[in-house]
Amino acid sequence: MYKLFLSWRYLTARRTNLIGIVGITVGVGALIMILSIMTGFLDEHRAAIRGGLSDLVITPIHLARADRAVPPRDPEPLLDIVRADPRVVDAAPRLVWGGMISPRGAQTEVAEVYYSHPETGNVPVVQLVGIDVEREYGVTTLRSALERVRTDPSSARHGVRDLDNPFEPPPGLPDDGVAYRGVLVGKKLYDTFQMRVGDRVNVLTAVPDTRSRTVKSNNLVFTVCGAFKTGQSEIDSDIA
């Protein structure tokens, strides 16, 4: 009690003491606030740059070599070498290709309006990414992106049924002989075309023919299994 009384007496004896304490308090508080803001900004900036990619991306270059060697088509031998590095948590293969998307059935009219809109001027080009679900969960934020849609009350019905098996066929699919190919769609792209889980979409891709050395079109039908939301506009609007 005596120490508290003595401290308070000398603290209030001179006004400069109070001013100094208030100044130190404000300065430390401002420093903590600025550091918190900068830390959050750096995290957001890092996430924006990285997006849904892993920390390291290895892309093969299929060019003619002097020794006429051909790059391997199977990525597993290379991935095994990468995983053997103790600094690597995991590695996942990806097959990336481009295509033009068009909903089928009743949604086709919506797509036609969108394509011809004078203000958008957008070609419905999407990036198709083939993944190994288990490996992909280990290297990217896909699982949290799928869960973000499921846990949002306003969009829960557009989420996948099972996070462990996101490409599980939606219930009520017609048995019309069409081969099943599941697809997960970025939330912004999903909303633009007013898709629903179970909808079928046409994806027109171009496939090179090594024999004739020409490019042939290939029309595939995919079934929408759900939407994902990474929070990055470039990913949510262009990737399926």
Side-chain angles (χ1 to χ4, degrees):
M1 186 66 182
Y2 176 76
K3 294 180 180 179
L4 179 61
F5 172 77
L6 188 62
S7 300
W8 180 255
R9 178 180 177 182
Y10 280 99
L11 180 63
T12 57
R14 300 178 62 182
R15 185 176 299 177
T16 54
N17 294 339
L18 289 175
I19 295 175
I21 291 178
V22 172
I24 293 174
T25 303
V26 172
V28 173
L31 180 61
I32 294 174
M33 182 179 65
I34 292 174
L35 289 177
S36 301
I37 293 174
M38 289 302 299
T39 300
F41 174 77
L42 289 176
D43 290 342
E44 291 293 330
H45 189 61
R46 189 179 297 111
I49 294 176
R50 175 181 169 184
L53 300 176
S54 56
D55 295 318
L56 176 65
V57 179
I58 302 175
T59 304
I61 300 178
H62 297 282
L63 297 177
R65 296 177 44 170
D67 57 0
R68 299 184 181 276
V70 179
R73 297 289 181 179
D74 185 7
E76 284 304 320
L78 176 59
L79 292 177
D80 289 338
I81 297 175
V82 175
R83 295 186 188 112
D85 192 314
R87 297 169 297 179
V88 176
V89 176
D90 203 350
R94 274 188 170 191
L95 180 61
V96 182
W97 201 253
M100 297 179 63
I101 190 171
S102 171
R104 306 182 76 198
Q107 300 302 326
T108 303
E109 296 180 1
V110 178
E112 291 176 352
V113 172
Y114 176 73
Y115 298 160
S116 60
H117 197 289
E119 294 182 1
T120 60
N122 291 332
V123 178
V125 175
V126 295
Q127 187 177 23
L128 302 174
V129 181
I131 62 172
D132 180 327
V133 175
E134 184 177 355
R135 294 290 189 184
E136 190 74 15
Y137 281 169
V139 299
T140 67
T141 57
L142 176 61
R143 188 182 187 95
S144 60
L146 292 170
E147 193 169 3
R148 190 174 291 116
V149 176
R150 290 186 50 177
T151 55
D152 186 350
S154 63
S155 62
R157 65 183 183 278
H158 305 304
V160 296
R161 299 179 62 194
D162 185 3
L163 285 176
D164 295 327
N165 185 19
F167 292 106
E168 179 184 5
L173 287 181
D175 186 12
D176 52 6
V178 178
Y180 175 75
R181 300 182 184 91
V183 65
L184 304 173
V185 184
K187 190 62 170 64
K188 192 172 182 180
L189 181 65
Y190 185 95
D191 292 337
T192 298
F193 291 105
Q194 300 182 14
M195 296 181 187
R196 296 293 182 269
V197 174
D199 283 354
R200 285 176 172 168
V201 293
N202 289 326
V203 178
L204 178 64
T205 62
V207 181
D209 188 345
T210 56
R211 294 183 179 179
S212 61
R213 295 185 178 181
T214 59
V215 177
K216 296 183 178 180
S217 62
N218 185 24
N219 191 20
L220 299 176
V221 179
F222 289 88
T223 301
V224 178
C225 298
F228 62 85
K229 185 177 181 180
T230 64
Q232 307 301 322
S233 178
E234 295 82 0
I235 296 177
D236 294 340
S237 61
D238 295 330
I239 292 184

